[in-house]
């Protein structure tokens, strides 16, 4: 019988706790749980037992292969499939999967970017099982979430530093909790990533080389209708999209992803999917898997799912909201205001730790979301600006203000905010937040980081966030552990922290020009507009020191990452530039020329029939189009030259700056003229589907 109800489907392809408990012996199960819950080392014999059960479970579900599933620095996921088969003496095969195959794999690492980390002769890398993220089956393959390292132990992936950053935060948060008299097994961060995407018709997609090669349109005049009617956001979902979403949910549920909310977004053809939050490394794995499954399911429905941050100019782009919190193994959310003053003192301390982290490491947060694609969004009146600031809402801001000034808090319960933990008042969750323009907003019991691009792995920003908060907590613990009077020290610490970091707090409109002025000139916040501006700050001494002291990255890993991210930026724009040249030379110019020929022929024929015809339309169109083709030629030559000039460049920082200052402006210039020509041309003579067709053809 096929499983149909959601509880039956959910997790049916995941070797989750239910399966482990049911299949493993009590001893093996508890040992594995200790590894998962308390980061205890994994016993080899345990691995052998787990592997055997995992294999049986997978084979029962039709799996024939297994793979170590990992996240190299390309930002996607990688897998290399091995089948379970092993020859048996009778000439047949048996299905085999050994403990060591579960724990460790050895993919050839030489074709993954390493940013100079791995000398070429040292091409080997290895993958190591992450037992905290459950194995699952996809396409008849048992996928084992793994970390990916070089033989010298340097991380070649995004999972390793993410796990390290979670560990760093865990260590420091436990120190703080101990001071408040709470001993816990662990503190983990949780994330619920809201994912935006576009769905367009597959046939239209395939006709556009820019979409095929780069994931975004590089040309295209605005259609008569865009998003100005605000009729798409939360609008009725079209039947074809509903069918896609139903199918998508089912596929996600099977692999244990808690897909929960779905709705239309602001732009036409734009949608959002939000899962229920989970532990950060699991949420990261799940988000990678979600993006992959979205694209696969879309294809089945004759659609293409675009995850690019800015597939279309003139309408909103796509981002990802990273809802983040910290909780103990007992399920206590450390960012939840408590019911008693004492709990609230602890809450305020954790709150201050985040505020301080965001202020001290604005640049790290900014660069953690920097890609060529996301540069189109940040600061462009649709997404938070490139300036990082924190929104707290009125009530919390009022409380912090009162603490800072030692004045009575004028909120719901007028109590003087003074001194240690026992005198802090009760206060209630701020329910007024709906400031959509803030990059980093407190939303009741979590922070929502809104600057991520839709195609970004969420690993990057969570690594920085966890590490930066670990650093604040470390500084606090160092002070408080040595304090003679804990309550007095706590009060002073909170007060001092607010005073020092209040410049990062901003409840106003983040889209306004005035904010850019105030943030940069008055408050001294950083405004790193592009990837080329932001990424080099990864190597600032203060950033490297912090990340290395918490053992999140080694110095070599940081250098390699900076290089890879910049390389990625340069390669992306380079491909876009070449695609533009190609489209202009092979399609746009020839199409316009053909139309000019038909206009010229028509004009001269009409005039030969009667000298009273003026041919105003033909002649004026011809004149303007001919002028435009000259401009386009000039601009395409400029761009070709700019791209050619990049070839000799060796230094990646110089190259990225050249891309920012020279190549991108030339691309924009070229586009402008082509888009103008589009407006003058009959649709049937234009070589590619228009924005109108791309955005409005899915019903
Ligand atoms: P909105 O669109 O209003 O921002 P959604 O309900 O679409 O909100 O998404 C909120 C996201 O935040 C969901 O993924 C949800 O699971 C997640 N979330 C809720 N509570 C927490 C928490 N304590 N920690 C992390 N994420 C959370
Ligand atoms: Mg949100």
């Amino acid at each position: 019988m096929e499983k149909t109800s959601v509880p039956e489907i959910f997790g049916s392809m995941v070797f989750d706790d239910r399966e482990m408990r049911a299949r493993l012996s009590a001893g093996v199960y508890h040992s594995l749980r200790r590894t998962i819950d308390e980061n205890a080392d994994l016993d080899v014999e345990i691995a052998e037992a787990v592997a055997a059960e995992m294999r049986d479970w997978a084979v029962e579900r039709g799996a024939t292969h297994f793979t170590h599933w990992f996240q190299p620095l390309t930002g996607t996921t990688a897998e290399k499939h091995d089948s379970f088969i092993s020859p048996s003496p009778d000439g047949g095969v048996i299905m085999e999967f050994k403990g060591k195959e579960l724990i460790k794999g050895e993919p050839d690492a030489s074709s993954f970017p390493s940013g100079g980390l791995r000398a070429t002769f040292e091409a080997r890398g290895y993958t190591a099982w992450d037992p905290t993220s459950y194995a699952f089956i996809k396409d008849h393959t048992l996928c084992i979430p793994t970390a990916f390292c070089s033989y010298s132990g340097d991380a070649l992936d995004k999972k390793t530093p993410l796990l390290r950053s979670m560990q760093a935060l865990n260590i420091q948060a436990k120190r703080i909790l101990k001071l408040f008299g709470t001993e816990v097994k662990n503190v983990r961060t949780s994330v619920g990533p809201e994912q935006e995407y576009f769905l367009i018709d597959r046939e239209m997609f395939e006709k556009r080389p820019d979409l095929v090669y780069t994931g975004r349109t590089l040309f295209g005049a605005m259609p008569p209708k865009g998003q100005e009617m605000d009729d798409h956001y939360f609008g009725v979902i079209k039947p074809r999209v509903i069918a896609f979403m139903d199918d998508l949910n089912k596929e996600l549920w099977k692999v244990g992803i808690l897909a929960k909310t779905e709705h239309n977004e602001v732009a036409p053809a734009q949608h959002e999917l939000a899962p229920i939050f989970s532990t950060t490394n699991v949420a990261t794995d799940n988000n990678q898997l979600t993006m992959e499954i979205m694209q696969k399911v879309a294809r089945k429905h004759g659609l293409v799912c675009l995850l690019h941050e800015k597939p279309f100019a003139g309408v909103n782009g796509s981002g990802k909201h990273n809802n983040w919190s910290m909780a103990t193994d007992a399920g206590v959310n450390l960012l939840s205001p408590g019911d008693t003053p004492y709990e609230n003192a602890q809450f305020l301390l954790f709150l201050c730790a985040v505020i301080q982290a965001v202020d001290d490491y604005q640049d790290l947060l900014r660069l953690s979301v920097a890609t060529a694609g996301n540069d189109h969004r940040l600061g462009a009146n649709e997404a938070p600006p490139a300036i990082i600031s924190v929104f707290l809402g009125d009530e919390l801001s009022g409380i912090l203000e009162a603490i800072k000034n030692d004045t009575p808090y004028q909120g719901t319960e007028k109590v003087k905010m003074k001194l240690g933990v026992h005198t802090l008042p009760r206060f209630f969750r701020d329910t007024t937040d709906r400031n959509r323009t803030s990059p980093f907003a407190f939303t009741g019991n979590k922070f929502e980081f809104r600057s991520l691009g839709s195609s970004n792995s969420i690993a990057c920003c969570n690594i920085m966030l966890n590490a930066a908060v670990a650093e604040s907590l470390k500084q606090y613990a160092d002070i408080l552990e040595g304090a003679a009077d804990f309550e007095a020290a706590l009060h002073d610490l909170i007060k001092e922290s607010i005073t020092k970091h209040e410049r990062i707090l901003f409840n106003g409109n983040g889209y306004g020009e005035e904010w850019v002025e105030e943030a940069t000139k008055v408050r001294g916040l950083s405004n790193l507009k592009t990837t080329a501006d932001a990424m080099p700050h990864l190597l600032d001494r203060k950033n490297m020191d912090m990340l290395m002291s918490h053992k999140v990255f080694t110095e070599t890993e940081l250098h390699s990452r900076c290089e890879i991210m910049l390389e990625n930026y340069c390669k992306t724009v380079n491909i876009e530039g070449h695609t533009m040249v190609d489209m202009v030379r092979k399609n746009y110019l020839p199409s316009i020329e053909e139309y000019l020929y038909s206009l010229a022929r028509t004009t001269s024929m009409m005039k030969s029939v009667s000298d009273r015809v003026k041919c105003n339309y033909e002649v004026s169109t011809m004149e303007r189009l001919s002028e435009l083709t000259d401009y386009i030629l000039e601009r395409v030559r400029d761009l070709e030259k700019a791209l050619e000039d990049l070839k000799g460049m060796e230094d990646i920082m110089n190259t990225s700056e050249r891309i920012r200052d020279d190549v991108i402006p030339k691309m924009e210039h070229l586009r402008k003229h082509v888009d103008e020509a589009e407006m003058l041309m009959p649709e049937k003579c234009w070589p590619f589907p228009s924005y109108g067709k791309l955005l409005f053809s899915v019903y």
Side-chain angles (χ1 to χ4, degrees):
M1 264 272 293
E2 212 207 326
K3 293 178 177 158
T4 47
S5 80
V6 179
E8 277 178 325
I9 295 173
F10 189 82
S12 57
M13 290 299 186
V14 186
F15 194 70
D16 58 14
D17 193 64
R18 294 175 299 184
E19 291 295 338
M20 289 180 193
R21 196 192 295 263
R23 287 176 176 263
L24 302 173
S25 72
V28 171
Y29 172 76
H30 287 297
S31 175
L32 182 59
R33 260 314 345 151
R34 276 200 33 241
T35 302
I36 295 173
D37 298 333
E38 296 160 45
N39 305 320
D41 280 341
L42 189 78
D43 200 313
V44 186
E45 274 162 46
I46 300 291
E48 206 63 64
V50 177
E53 288 304 329
M54 241 189 217
R55 173 206 56 203
D56 289 350
W57 169 85
V59 170
E60 279 166 28
R61 281 156 186 75
T64 51
H65 289 67
F66 70 92
T67 180
H68 277 199
W69 186 76
F70 58 101
Q71 294 158 35
L73 296 170
T74 49
T76 54
T77 53
E79 42 196 81
K80 172 182 153 238
H81 297 188
D82 282 303
S83 73
F84 288 122
I85 61 167
S86 170
S88 65
D90 62 2
V93 292
I94 52 165
M95 300 300 256
E96 202 172 60
F97 184 46
K98 298 213 170 71
K100 69 174 197 302
E101 292 174 309
L102 167 64
I103 298 182
K104 194 168 168 184
E106 297 194 11
D108 181 352
S110 58
S111 300
F112 292 108
S114 71
L117 248 186
R118 213 180 334 84
T120 33
F121 59 85
E122 179 53 299
R124 288 183 311 163
Y126 69 89
T127 48
W129 181 30
D130 167 18
T132 61
S133 182
Y134 298 133
F136 58 93
I137 299 171
K138 171 171 77 80
D139 303 328
H140 304 292
T141 302
L142 169 67
C143 299
I144 300 146
T146 50
F148 179 41
C149 298
S150 75
Y151 257 87
S152 46
D154 292 313
L156 294 173
D157 69 345
K158 303 201 178 203
K159 186 189 269 279
T160 307
L162 179 64
L163 291 171
R164 292 177 187 156
S165 73
M166 291 172 70
Q167 179 62 5
L169 187 137
N170 176 40
I171 292 170
Q172 303 304 334
K174 282 202 294 197
R175 285 177 69 194
I176 297 286
L177 287 175
K178 202 165 165 195
L179 287 164
F180 281 88
T182 322
E183 298 261 3
V184 298
K185 279 193 196 151
N186 63 52
V187 172
R188 280 191 177 152
T189 59
S190 299
V191 166
E194 302 162 56
Q195 174 75 47
E196 291 180 339
Y197 60 96
F198 279 82
L199 274 185
I200 63 167
D201 190 82
R202 184 173 168 178
E203 242 178 78
M204 300 289 160
F205 168 87
E206 281 166 356
K207 288 186 179 143
R208 300 267 324 201
D210 44 2
L211 284 175
V212 172
Y213 293 136
T214 73
R216 74 176 180 109
T217 54
L218 300 167
F219 300 97
M222 278 307 289
K225 179 180 172 183
Q227 64 189 41
E228 56 282 270
M229 299 291 286
D230 289 327
D231 55 354
H232 194 254
Y233 189 58
F234 281 13
V236 177
I237 305 174
K238 292 170 181 147
R240 227 175 129 191
V241 177
I242 284 278
F244 158 82
M245 286 178 173
D246 282 348
D247 216 6
L248 174 63
N249 282 337
K250 234 175 260 160
E251 293 304 318
L252 294 174
W253 290 336
K254 276 190 206 165
V255 290
I257 296 174
L258 294 152
K260 170 94 173 154
T261 315
E262 53 193 23
H263 59 79
N264 287 351
E265 262 300 329
V266 175
Q270 193 185 28
H271 311 280
E272 180 187 290
L273 179 136
I276 298 173
F277 67 99
S278 49
T279 311
T280 306
N281 68 316
V282 174
T284 305
D285 287 355
N286 284 350
N287 183 250
Q288 292 299 125
L289 203 50
T290 300
M291 293 193 283
E292 180 185 328
I293 294 176
M294 277 179 163
Q295 308 200 49
K296 213 181 283 173
V297 173
R299 295 242 153 199
K300 271 209 319 224
H301 288 257
L303 301 164
V304 172
C305 169
L306 301 177
L307 289 169
H308 194 283
E309 284 74 18
K310 194 73 182 175
F312 304 99
V315 299
N316 275 9
S318 302
K320 194 134 57 183
H321 289 177
N322 190 77
N323 294 276
W324 178 95
S325 65
M326 305 172 258
T328 69
D329 56 288
V332 177
N333 180 350
L334 301 174
L335 289 177
S336 202
D339 289 330
T340 65
Y342 195 75
E343 285 167 353
N344 277 338
Q346 182 183 304
F347 160 73
L348 284 176
L349 192 65
F350 279 102
L351 186 79
C352 285
V354 180
I355 295 169
Q356 174 174 329
V358 177
D359 187 25
D360 284 345
Y361 299 100
Q362 300 161 42
D363 43 2
L364 284 182
L365 289 175
R366 167 65 185 94
L367 70 87
S368 75
V369 299
T371 59
N374 212 19
D375 283 355
H376 296 289
R377 292 175 64 242
L378 300 181
N381 274 2
E382 58 171 81
I387 303 164
I388 305 284
S389 65
V390 176
F391 171 89
L392 288 183
D394 294 337
E395 182 171 24
L396 264 186
S397 303
I399 290 169
L400 296 194
E401 188 67 22
I403 295 175
K404 188 189 91 180
N405 300 328
D406 279 330
T407 52
Y409 168 55
Q410 303 294 336
T412 34
E413 298 184 19
K414 298 193 176 25
V415 187
K416 197 165 156 102
M417 301 285 294
K418 203 171 178 312
L419 273 173
V421 291
H422 292 294
T423 50
L424 281 172
R426 279 182 60 167
F427 51 81
F428 301 94
R429 236 190 229 201
D430 185 8
T431 46
T432 58
D433 159 53
R434 270 315 174 224
N435 182 330
R436 291 282 168 186
T437 66
S438 174
F440 204 95
F442 185 70
T443 53
N445 62 353
K446 61 186 189 293
F447 276 99
E448 183 168 353
F449 186 28
R450 298 178 175 141
S451 307
L452 288 74
S454 47
S455 68
N456 269 180
S457 159
I458 63 170
C460 310
C461 81
N462 286 298
I463 293 169
M464 298 309 176
L465 190 52
N466 293 342
V469 174
E471 173 62 23
S472 316
L473 293 174
K474 178 189 169 288
Q475 292 178 15
Y476 294 175
D478 287 348
I479 294 169
L480 294 174
E481 280 169 358
D485 179 345
F486 175 66
E487 294 202 2
L490 180 65
H491 178 264
D492 291 348
L493 182 60
I494 291 179
K495 189 174 154 176
E496 192 189 318
S497 176
I498 298 166
T499 311
K500 202 159 152 210
H501 300 287
E502 67 181 343
R503 65 170 188 160
I504 199 81
L505 302 177
F506 178 61
N507 288 345
N509 175 17
Y511 292 174
E513 258 316 302
E514 322 78 66
W515 169 233
V516 179
E517 276 288 303
E518 182 187 330
T520 52
K521 303 241 164 75
V522 184
R523 303 193 184 204
L525 301 178
S526 69
N527 184 13
L528 302 166
K529 290 193 182 136
T530 70
T531 304
D533 298 301
M535 204 50 75
H537 289 282
L538 185 59
L539 303 183
D540 287 358
R541 200 64 252 174
K542 79 159 176 54
N543 292 337
M544 289 182 69
D545 285 347
M546 186 277 282
L547 291 165
M548 285 156 61
S549 74
H550 289 280
K551 302 196 164 40
V552 174
F553 287 111
T554 62
E555 179 147 6
T556 12
E557 285 169 354
L558 285 168
H559 281 284
S560 85
R561 259 147 237 259
C562 182
E563 185 169 323
I564 290 170
M565 297 316 286
L566 283 174
E567 218 172 71
N568 205 315
Y569 171 77
C570 295
K571 282 181 182 164
T572 304
V573 180
N574 203 37
I575 293 171
E576 290 177 347
H578 283 287
T579 304
M580 288 184 96
V581 170
D582 207 63
M583 289 170 81
V584 167
R585 292 248 182 229
K586 294 203 180 117
N587 302 95
Y588 286 126
L589 284 177
S591 297
I592 302 172
E593 194 208 15
E594 210 173 302
Y595 181 53
L596 282 174
Y597 173 68
S598 90
L599 282 176
R601 201 177 40 181
T602 310
T603 312
S604 72
M605 280 169 69
M606 283 166 74
K607 291 212 162 156
S608 74
V609 175
S610 156
D611 51 18
R612 292 220 309 277
V613 293
K614 293 205 190 82
C615 289
N616 278 345
Y617 164 65
E618 289 78 3
V619 173
S620 64
T621 309
M622 208 160 48
E623 281 173 357
R624 181 63 189 151
L625 274 177
S626 166
E627 211 170 13
L628 282 172
T629 53
D630 290 343
Y631 289 145
I632 292 171
L633 180 69
E634 213 175 293
R635 298 300 167 219
V636 81
R637 280 180 177 156
D638 278 352
L639 179 58
E640 280 166 333
K641 166 96 175 49
L643 291 169
E644 194 54 36
D645 288 346
L646 291 178
K647 283 191 181 150
M649 297 188 68
E650 302 243 318
D651 181 82
I652 196 69
M653 295 219 190
N654 292 342
T655 315
S656 65
E657 283 162 16
R658 178 75 73 81
I659 295 239
R660 175 194 65 198
D661 301 333
D662 191 34
V663 177
I664 292 178
K666 284 179 176 155
M667 285 165 59
E668 281 163 7
H669 219 140
L670 172 61
R671 174 183 184 145
K672 213 175 106 223
H673 293 304
V674 174
D675 289 357
E676 190 187 337
E678 181 178 350
M679 301 297 283
L680 297 174
M681 294 273 295
E683 186 163 356
K684 66 178 186 351
C685 304
W686 201 237
F688 305 115
S690 65
Y691 263 33
K693 285 261 161 52
L694 291 168
L695 286 169
F696 294 98
S697 59
V698 175
Y699 295 99

